[in-house]
Amino acid sequence: MTDSGLAPLPASDRPDIAARLRDALLAASFTADGLLDLLGAPAYAALARSETVPALRATRGDTPLETLVRLFLLQQPVPHARVAAVLPVEEALEAGWLRRVGGDEVAATVDVRPYGGPGGEDWFIVSDLGCAVGGAGGIGQRDEGVVLGVGGASTTLAGITVRTPVASALDLGTGSGIQALHAAQHATRVTATDFNPRALHITALTLALSGAPAADLREGSLFEPVRDDETFDLIVSNPPFVISPRARLTYRDGGMGGDDLCRSLVQEAGERLNEGGFAQFLANWQHVAGEDWQDRLRSWVPRGCDAWIVQREVQDVTQYAELWLRDAGDHRGDPAEYQARYDAWLDEFEARKVRAVGFGWITLRRTGSAEPAVTVEEWPHPVEQPLGETIRAHFERLDYLREHDDAALLDSRFKLVPEVVQEQVGLPGAEDPEHVVLRQHRGMRRATKVDTVGAGFAGVCDGTLSAGRILDAIAQLVGEDPVVLRDRTPAQIRLLVEQGFLEPAG
């Protein structure tokens, strides 16, 4: 399962050798923590910027860990004898993990990068040489068909994914296998698809080297390899979402016009989900002149699904074009060719009346409700990762609010979630604040304005009194008609519950 224009890959049908390599890597502390201890924070951070000089300087010794860092992370030839002292070198050569170079040196055939799992697991992500984050080849040194390692988008998707135990999970466009690796920890069966057969091969290597169960690997674009009668409890995808004038690089450009790939992916996911199942994607979407971007995204949501769509960033078309031209290394080539490609991007956007491009997360949940809830919002502020539990709780709260009308809401008891603080905003010396802000320090880290009644209500919610009884006490305290207060406050309670400031007691 290799491409003729690229270097041969290690054998994916030798789990015995992968297990021996894993044992050797762990014995030498070739782990995320071990790298940080060896390299130090500055050199470790420099790798993520594609700068290898600090790491090369930090690995001038001959310890087993230094040998492995130079071999697999920095892609430097290492004397055969040094490698033999750390790895089962002959087996690794036979299986294709290493190759002979020069007289008595060996080199890695793939990039192997330590990766810490959410439970402290020591995993290893395999990718093509120079294509890990900060790999020795650096950004821009990529050919058609290469398989990248773990980047910011990969870790973002892994962090937002709901991690409840499930029977079946589907990773669309698996790449180096990072999402399949995470899913294997809580899914009985993992299926992974990719248009690039090389990616499926590398996914198998990632899983084997990380000690994870093998996945059902299928070649084809996105849902194409999935049978018509197959459904899943979890679907995840970090698709090739870049909106470009033509698909030059398959690892990022999906081959469809505009944001059609992301739209079709979201729309097709609904019928592939089991009841209660989640589908979670990263995506780009167009901001088109004369069109509300939120309405555009609402139109993507399939029938029978709740949705939570969060726009994390927006770039104007010039920023967006420059970002991806630099990602491909086009800025380093011929200036005239760079300008022509830049013009082609802007021509495409102009023809589609695109003014900007948004980036964010899309989460669907299959629901039996006759009135699915769709939330589309912009939240560019820092959040606390991982967010999977926060996202799961969001949809649970939607169910609760759907099942409780205002009367039932007032009969319910609530608790203020931990680490919410109150801020009062107003002019210095003023007797009363202009407004009150409740702010979360966990999860989405939201901030929302409330009136004094809302602030007082939230402050006394400890799960002992019903909402109605609390409002009656507040009405007596402030001299307001309790019937009026009960009538106007449920909307504010709903907002506080929906945004995660309050949770139903019990």
Side-chain angles (χ1 to χ4, degrees), residues 237-436:
S237 184
N238 176 20
F241 52 66
V242 177
I243 300 171
S244 65
R246 57 187 179 274
R248 293 174 50 216
L249 301 169
T250 56
Y251 70 85
R252 69 171 204 191
D253 303 306
M256 296 187 189
D259 52 16
D260 286 350
L261 183 142
C262 292
R263 176 187 54 77
S264 61
L265 181 63
V266 172
Q267 290 180 335
E268 290 178 35
E271 63 185 18
R272 300 293 187 176
L273 282 175
N274 292 324
E275 192 72 22
F278 286 92
Q280 298 186 263
F281 314 102
L282 301 186
N284 274 176
W285 43 78
Q286 298 173 150
H287 286 231
V288 180
E291 177 183 87
D292 187 311
W293 68 269
Q294 293 183 327
D295 289 342
R296 182 182 190 85
L297 289 173
R298 288 190 184 94
S299 73
W300 291 8
V301 178
R303 294 181 61 184
C305 288
D306 290 331
W308 186 15
I309 302 174
V310 181
Q311 180 167 273
R312 296 288 290 158
E313 184 180 0
V314 181
Q315 291 184 320
D316 67 49
V317 291
T318 60
Q319 292 174 310
Y320 189 80
E322 289 163 13
L323 169 67
W324 294 109
L325 286 167
R326 288 180 176 273
D327 175 82
D330 292 332
H331 63 300
R332 297 173 179 165
D334 177 57
E337 187 174 349
Y338 173 78
Q339 181 176 338
R341 286 177 174 166
Y342 199 151
D343 271 334
W345 283 68
L346 297 186
D347 286 344
E348 177 80 5
F349 285 135
E350 185 175 337
R352 293 178 175 274
K353 299 182 180 180
V354 177
R355 299 293 181 262
V357 177
F359 167 82
W361 319 323
I362 298 176
T363 299
L364 307 177
R365 186 192 59 167
R366 189 76 186 177
T367 177
S369 172
E371 298 181 0
V374 177
T375 301
V376 183
E377 62 176 321
E378 186 166 17
W379 190 254
H381 311 294
V383 299
E384 179 190 41
Q385 283 278 34
L387 267 178
E389 180 59 22
T390 297
I391 290 174
R392 184 201 60 78
H394 168 86
F395 286 93
E396 279 198 351
R397 292 192 301 270
L398 289 183
D399 285 341
Y400 177 87
L401 292 173
R402 258 196 300 251
E403 294 164 0
H404 289 72
D405 60 16
D406 286 356
L409 205 67
L410 293 174
D411 284 338
S412 302
R413 295 173 292 112
F414 298 94
K415 293 170 63 177
L416 185 68
V417 301
E419 298 192 45
V420 172
V421 298
Q422 174 179 303
E423 300 173 359
Q424 295 186 347
V425 181
L427 294 173
E431 184 175 349
D432 297 314
E434 293 180 11
H435 58 265
V436 178

Side-chain angles (χ1 to χ4, degrees), residues 451-469:
D451 59 22
T452 54
V453 170
F457 176 85
V460 297
C461 279
D462 60 4
T464 58
L465 296 176
S466 69
R469 290 187 62 185

Side-chain angles (χ1 to χ4, degrees), residues 174-262:
T174 187
S176 61
I178 176 63
Q179 308 306 329
L181 178 58
H182 276 277
Q185 311 310 304
H186 64 103
T188 304
R189 175 174 57 89
V190 176
T191 302
T193 72
D194 205 291
F195 180 79
N196 183 1
R198 192 175 182 88
L200 298 176
H201 193 136
I202 284 181
T203 291
L205 298 176
T206 290
L207 295 173
L209 198 58
S210 298
D216 178 6
L217 305 176
R218 304 183 192 178
E219 183 179 346
S221 178
L222 302 175
F223 286 108
E224 284 179 4
V226 179
R227 297 191 307 271
D228 291 342
D229 61 345
E230 281 186 290
T231 55
F232 301 86
D233 302 310
L234 174 67
I235 299 172
V236 293
S237 184
N238 176 20
F241 52 66
V242 177
I243 300 171
S244 65
R246 57 187 179 274
R248 293 174 50 216
L249 301 169
T250 56
Y251 70 85
R252 69 171 204 191
D253 303 306
M256 296 187 189
D259 52 16
D260 286 350
L261 183 142
C262 292

Side-chain angles (χ1 to χ4, degrees), residues 68-104:
L68 293 175
V69 171
R70 282 192 164 247
L71 185 66
F72 285 119
L73 205 59
L74 302 177
Q75 285 107 56
Q76 299 294 306
V78 179
H80 183 285
R82 280 185 58 185
V83 178
V86 186
L87 298 176
V89 65
E90 295 306 322
E91 291 93 332
L93 285 165
E94 176 196 354
W97 290 91
L98 304 176
R99 61 185 177 89
R100 299 183 187 275
V101 294
D104 64 345

